[in-house]
Amino acid sequence: ARGMTKYTVQPTGSPVHDNVGDWPAKARCRAMLNWADKPTLLVMSGSMGFGSLIDQVDELDSLPMDFQIAVICGNNADLRDKLLLRIEAGAYRKYGRPLGFIDNVETYMGAADIVCTKPGGLSVSETFCVGRPIVLLDPIPGLEELNAAFLVNNGLGVPTGRNYTLREAVYNLFSSPRRMASIEREQKHNSPCDAADKLSAFLIQKAEIYRQSAPNREAPPGSMVGNKRRGRRQGQARVLADPSKIYVKRGKRQKRA
């Protein structure tokens, strides 16, 4: 948004489902998932299951702390199968529960104490709404790197890399409830839980202003909805600025809907 005016960009954040952020305590969420009521770490790798997830779970399982690990592999069935084989072989002490693609991620976030995830916009927004400290994994060059920089600079997430490993980041968070609480407070101040409400209210306000200022004006010539655009095909919907005067043209003019 750099270089744009405040009237051009609306900083509402990413809209999320209204279920996100309205969840019971961790113990209740764990009971809903049939998990033990103990410290929980949720590891996610995006919908496609990218990243070195097996190495990361191996690293986390070696921590000298008592907690359970849940792993969301997204659509990467091969990754999920590899984790299952390692669990059956007894490779993990903390039982890394591997999950495929799920449509109730907010329940799993609600059951966790810490969320380890790639810094994608939607994953971060959902974690903010639930209110869980974020440990950042494998950002993709470009947008995810910018997201990670914003989170770290504003005390909203913990970075990992060559100089500060995932193992160290998780160990230090679990060892410092005060720091976890600080991150959760900052997330609450930056939470986009009301993004959908803000966005819809803005659009309704703009539509009403335009309707009142030009109730009979048609869309500008040459626009995709303009009725004066040259070469438009018969059957294309003709849309006027006033929503109450929308009708469809099918060769001959029909009654307005």
Side-chain angles (χ1 to χ4, degrees), residues 136-175:
L136 305 171
L137 306 176
D138 304 322
I140 295 173
L143 184 58
E144 287 193 358
E145 284 186 337
L146 294 173
N147 288 346
F150 174 84
L151 295 171
V152 173
N153 292 338
N154 289 276
L156 300 166
V158 179
T160 58
R162 182 177 302 176
N163 298 321
Y164 193 58
T165 65
L166 173 62
R167 190 174 187 271
E168 291 173 318
V170 171
Y171 180 85
N172 288 336
L173 276 178
F174 270 134
S175 301

Side-chain angles (χ1 to χ4, degrees), residues 27 59-60 64 116 135 172 208 220 255:
E59 185 179 354
L60 293 168
C116 301
V135 175
N172 288 336
E208 182 64 18
K255 294 182 179 179

Side-chain angles (χ1 to χ4, degrees), residues 78-192:
D78 183 58
L79 174 62
R80 181 175 180 272
D81 292 342
K82 288 179 179 178
L83 283 170
L84 281 172
L85 288 174
R86 292 179 66 79
I87 291 171
E88 292 172 358
Y92 297 130
R93 296 174 300 166
K94 296 178 171 53
Y95 184 39
R97 306 167 183 267
L99 306 161
F101 184 86
I102 59 175
D103 58 4
N104 60 334
V105 67
E106 64 276 1
T107 310
Y108 291 86
M109 288 181 175
D113 294 277
I114 300 172
V115 176
C116 301
T117 181
K118 294 172 63 60
L122 189 55
S123 297
V124 168
S125 296
E126 290 173 333
T127 309
F128 274 23
C129 290
V130 176
R132 298 292 182 267
I134 303 175
V135 175
L136 305 171
L137 306 176
D138 304 322
I140 295 173
L143 184 58
E144 287 193 358
E145 284 186 337
L146 294 173
N147 288 346
F150 174 84
L151 295 171
V152 173
N153 292 338
N154 289 276
L156 300 166
V158 179
T160 58
R162 182 177 302 176
N163 298 321
Y164 193 58
T165 65
L166 173 62
R167 190 174 187 271
E168 291 173 318
V170 171
Y171 180 85
N172 288 336
L173 276 178
F174 270 134
S175 301
S176 179
R178 188 173 181 178
R179 189 180 182 196
M180 292 176 65
S182 174
I183 293 175
E184 291 173 5
R185 283 195 302 270
E186 292 300 321
Q187 289 179 345
K188 185 176 181 180
H189 292 312
N190 291 272
S191 172

